[in-house]
């Protein structure tokens, strides 16, 4: 999966982050729009925007980014986001992007439910344990039930990590509420 990233894309990511520019990132599995709010040599953190709404955070390997584009409608898009009270945020400044290990430690510390997308699959749940080359996820099925065995997610297979999105937040609240009523 290792590929050489053209330096111009890395430069575009950095410039978009420092300018607070609204961008569209093209990844092999699709496009995502928002504001780049964190960047390391390995990972990019996007405050994701969909349909004029802040939809949480998305982290992708920098090497997987095919393009970082600014729309010809950029200024109008920013005005619409401002109209809808969507602002660029620093609320993710606590996220550590130096490596996957650091990333997952920071997410676990904040007790975040995450969506981890691997090459052909995606799972949502709580970070169970963090190793040098993988993270174990205590996953939840779509019905809000804990999956008995932790799922091993090798870093080299991770294509996307999401948190603070509606899906994972809803499942986390549901699981916490049903666990509390069972005890």
């Amino acid at each position: 999966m290792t590929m050489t990233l053209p330096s111009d894309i890395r430069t575009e990511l950095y410039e978009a982050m420092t300018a607070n520019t609204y961008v569209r990132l093209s990844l092999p599995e699709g496009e995502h729009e928002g504001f780049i709010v964190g960047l390391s040599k390995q990972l990019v953190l996007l405050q994701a925007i969909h349909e004029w709404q802040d939809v949480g955070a998305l982290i992708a390997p920098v090497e997987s980014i095919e393009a970082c584009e600014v729309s010809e409608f950029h200024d109008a898009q920013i005005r619409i986001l401002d109209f809808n009270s969507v602002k660029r945020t620093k609320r993710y400044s606590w996220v550590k992007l130096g490596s996957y290990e650091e990333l997952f430690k920071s997410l676990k510390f904040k007790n975040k439910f995450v969506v981890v997308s691997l090459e052909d699959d995606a799972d949502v749940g709580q970070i169970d344990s963090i190793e040098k080359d993988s993270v174990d996820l205590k996953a939840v099925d779509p019905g809000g039930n804990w999956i008995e065995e932790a799922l091993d997610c090798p870093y080299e297979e991770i294509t996307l990590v999401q948190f603070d999105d509606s899906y994972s937040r809803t499942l986390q609240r549901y699981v916490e509420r049903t666990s509390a009523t069972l005890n």
Side-chain angles (χ1 to χ4, degrees):
M1 183 172 156
T2 302
M3 61 184 211
T4 304
L5 180 70
S7 61
D8 58 328
I9 292 177
R10 189 177 302 279
T11 301
E12 288 176 29
L13 293 170
Y14 178 76
E15 288 173 355
M17 182 180 74
T18 57
N20 289 320
T21 304
Y22 186 71
V23 297
R24 175 182 296 126
L25 297 182
S26 297
L27 300 165
E29 64 276 347
E31 295 180 335
H32 303 277
E33 295 184 1
F35 299 100
I36 297 173
V37 294
L39 181 64
S40 71
K41 288 182 180 180
Q42 187 177 4
L43 301 168
V44 62
L45 171 59
L46 184 76
Q47 175 189 348
I49 307 293
H50 182 71
E51 296 180 349
W52 312 115
Q53 301 293 319
D54 182 330
V55 293
L58 180 145
I59 299 161
V62 170
E63 69 181 14
S64 69
I65 296 170
E66 297 170 344
C68 175
E69 301 168 337
V70 176
S71 168
E72 65 182 275
F73 300 104
H74 176 268
D75 293 343
Q77 290 171 321
I78 293 292
R79 285 193 303 274
I80 294 168
L81 289 167
D82 287 345
F83 168 79
N84 204 32
S85 300
V86 175
K87 303 291 182 203
R88 291 155 291 302
T89 183
K90 295 188 185 299
R91 73 177 185 262
Y92 300 123
S93 61
W94 55 268
V95 177
K96 306 296 182 213
L97 297 174
S99 66
Y100 276 116
E101 189 175 1
E102 288 179 23
L103 166 66
F104 286 113
K105 283 180 181 178
S106 64
L107 292 170
K108 183 174 180 158
F109 180 77
K110 290 286 194 171
N111 195 33
K112 295 288 183 179
F113 259 45
V114 296
V115 179
V116 177
S117 298
L118 302 173
E119 292 170 345
D120 294 329
D121 199 13
D123 291 292
V124 63
Q126 193 171 37
I127 299 164
D128 189 40
S129 65
I130 303 160
E131 306 298 328
K132 294 281 184 212
D133 58 353
S134 67
V135 62
D136 285 343
L137 192 65
K138 184 173 171 78
V140 175
D141 67 23
N145 304 300
W146 290 109
I147 296 174
E148 191 171 320
E149 195 168 315
L151 303 173
D152 181 56
C153 304
Y155 299 148
E156 65 186 22
E157 293 179 23
I158 295 175
T159 58
L160 211 55
V161 177
Q162 294 170 265
F163 65 94
D164 281 354
D165 59 292
S166 179
Y167 189 75
S168 65
R169 281 191 330 240
T170 300
L171 277 174
Q172 183 172 14
R173 286 191 325 268
Y174 178 79
V175 167
E176 289 170 350
R177 182 174 179 210
T178 56
S179 293
T181 58
L182 295 175
N183 292 331

